[in-house]
Amino acid sequence: MNNEIMLETKLVGDITGSFYVPSYQRGYRWGSDEVTRLLEDVYQNGKKNYCLQPVVVKKRGDSFELIDGQQRLTTLYLIYKYIRNVNPFYPEPTFSLTYETREKSEEFLKSINLFLKEDNIDFWFMANAYETIKKWFEADLQMRVTHIFEYFKEDVKIIWYEVGETEDAIALFTRLNIGKIPLTSAELIKAMFICNPRDDEDTLRPEEIGLRWDNIEKELHNDDLWYFLTNKPAEDYQTRIDLVLDLMAEKPETNRDKYYTYFFFDSNKESLSIKDIERTFLLLKGWYEDHTLYHKIGYLIASGSKNASLQNIYNKSLDMTKSEFKDYLDNQIRESINYKKNYSELSYDIPDDYPRISRLLLLFNVESVRSNGAETQWFPFDEFKYSKGKPVTWSLEHIHAQQSEGLKTQEMWKEWLKLHIPSLRSLDSDHEELIEEMSNAIDKEKLERNEFEAIQQKVIELLSVKGNTEYMHCLANMALLNAGDNAALNNSTFDVKRKKVVEMDKQGQYIPFCTKMVFLKYYTPIDKNQLHFWGQADRVAYIEAMNKVLDGYLKEPIEFNWEEA
């Protein structure tokens, strides 16, 4: 008796032997959806490698105790029986299923007597599955029979997970089924390294391999590191080490095969080891700990720029010197904000320009943090991407808004008026008459749109300065702000937004560095500074700051033909 684990892949056509289904398992319960999905997946995948979920077994004399995989094996058996029944030139299934407490189920599988369908619940599900198989094949009988048999023989595999003879099968079954915790690709790869260490790793004990693996997983639970490397929430991965494994396997983002990465490691198990996984992780961690690389790579990944995925960056890094790699990153950053015209022509209301402005402002924020504070400040990609358990969506916001886009209800109109009363009170001159008009409008049971817009126009004229209309949608009036769905705030004038940003900052809410500097008037020269408006002096200073911080990435400076204030 031993407790060794065997982990390998087997072609479906190579499955042989007798599988014993113990009493602790329920009977066959797959419905038409599951059966059809298996057939469709195999058929649509064609001649490409395809892997079914693991079959977990334990040696039991001359047979195997089937711990996990009864539903899949039974369905495969029924498919083989159907193929044999429609064409006797095909062989009988090369494996069989026996049952500890369902002896008649074995007989039913061998005979497929559909007249017995109503005799018991197991027969009903097996008969229903067989009828589903029959219906699916009959859509194109000869072609589908030929192809499915061929795919099973040459292309479709199962993961064969054979546990040691002393394994507690009931406990393992409970973990895999009752607990709803399936074997993950990462778990299978870990088991493979523990079971079959490479020759140069024979000195590593299983416990040491497991410890190294767990240490990588633990470090990846640092959200600062995780959201530097990816834009995806951790919930998209079964385990966090999957990110590293998928990277090594070059798994396409569009590939939904749960065991794609395990397939890759299984095919390369003679050349890959736990040490290779460690080296890959340490490379990523080295980027994270390098102040310059952290910001350059972090920006590229966060920007979602073409050819700037973690996979592409990782692949390039393997073939380059450090100097070449840094040049490559700089070129990718330049490409990410490349614009054939002058950047001053970018406009919020042109759909193609929206992502360009967003990337430019993201880079402005990241580079501002990187170059500020002699490497003591780091851009918080974790806060930028995720907050309070939810992904953050950043939008382009007008620093000063003069339009009522999105304000469609009385509640929104009244909220807008409430937000702007304090700003009018803060002005030097007396505007009590207008404030009273706003208060009366707020108290009205029914406020008409034309009445609101008339008052709004008076307020905007008082809280705006020359040039705001001309530069409404340009880069000089744009900032990244997470204002949620508060349309009244989004359409507010500068002074109202400034107060809201200050309030958000006091509450500890994350605000991008440059957005905060805008609303605190950090960029504007002191002699031209006034708190309540966003005017020409502010716009000029804001663009000058961009040109200074992004020098080396912009193909040419951002230039506006500013009108005289």
Side-chain angles (χ1 to χ4, degrees), residues 185-244:
S185 182
E187 188 175 22
L188 291 167
I189 295 168
K190 180 181 179 182
M192 181 177 71
F193 285 134
I194 290 175
C195 303
N196 306 297
R198 211 168 61 181
D199 290 343
D200 61 349
E201 291 186 334
D202 283 342
T203 55
L204 290 179
R205 293 176 299 167
E207 297 82 5
E208 187 174 352
I209 293 175
L211 180 62
R212 291 184 177 196
W213 185 282
D214 293 343
N215 283 339
I216 295 173
E217 176 70 22
K218 182 180 179 181
E219 290 206 53
L220 285 168
H221 276 264
N222 173 5
D223 283 346
D224 288 355
L225 172 58
W226 179 261
Y227 288 110
F228 156 67
L229 293 170
T230 180
N231 300 331
K232 294 181 179 180
E235 291 76 14
D236 283 8
Y237 292 84
Q238 293 170 316
T239 59
R240 294 204 179 189
I241 201 172
D242 277 307
L243 177 71
V244 178

Side-chain angles (χ1 to χ4, degrees), residues 68-100:
D68 189 51
Q70 178 197 171
Q71 310 297 319
R72 288 181 294 282
L73 275 190
T74 303
T75 305
L76 293 174
Y77 184 93
L78 290 168
I79 293 170
Y80 273 120
K81 285 296 290 186
Y82 175 78
I83 291 174
R84 165 72 176 181
N85 287 342
V86 297
N87 189 337
F89 287 100
Y90 285 102
E92 289 280 357
T94 55
F95 62 93
S96 62
L97 293 118
T98 62
Y99 302 83
E100 183 176 3

Side-chain angles (χ1 to χ4, degrees), residues 459-473:
V459 174
I460 286 173
E461 287 176 3
L462 289 171
L463 292 173
S464 300
V465 292
K466 184 178 179 181
N468 274 346
T469 302
E470 296 91 321
Y471 300 104
M472 173 60 60
H473 295 313

Side-chain angles (χ1 to χ4, degrees), residues 88 197 555:
K555 66 172 186 176

Side-chain angles (χ1 to χ4, degrees), residues 12 23 45 53 94 107 111 152 157 244 259 268 271 309 337 349 352 360 381 422 439 469 487 491 541 561:
V12 167
S23 60
N45 192 71
Q53 295 206 18
T94 55
E107 296 174 12
S111 64
F152 280 172
K157 298 179 180 180
V244 178
Y259 296 106
N268 294 276
S271 59
S309 66
I337 59 169
D349 58 356
D352 287 346
L360 192 63
F381 289 106
S439 298
T469 302
N491 287 274
N561 294 320

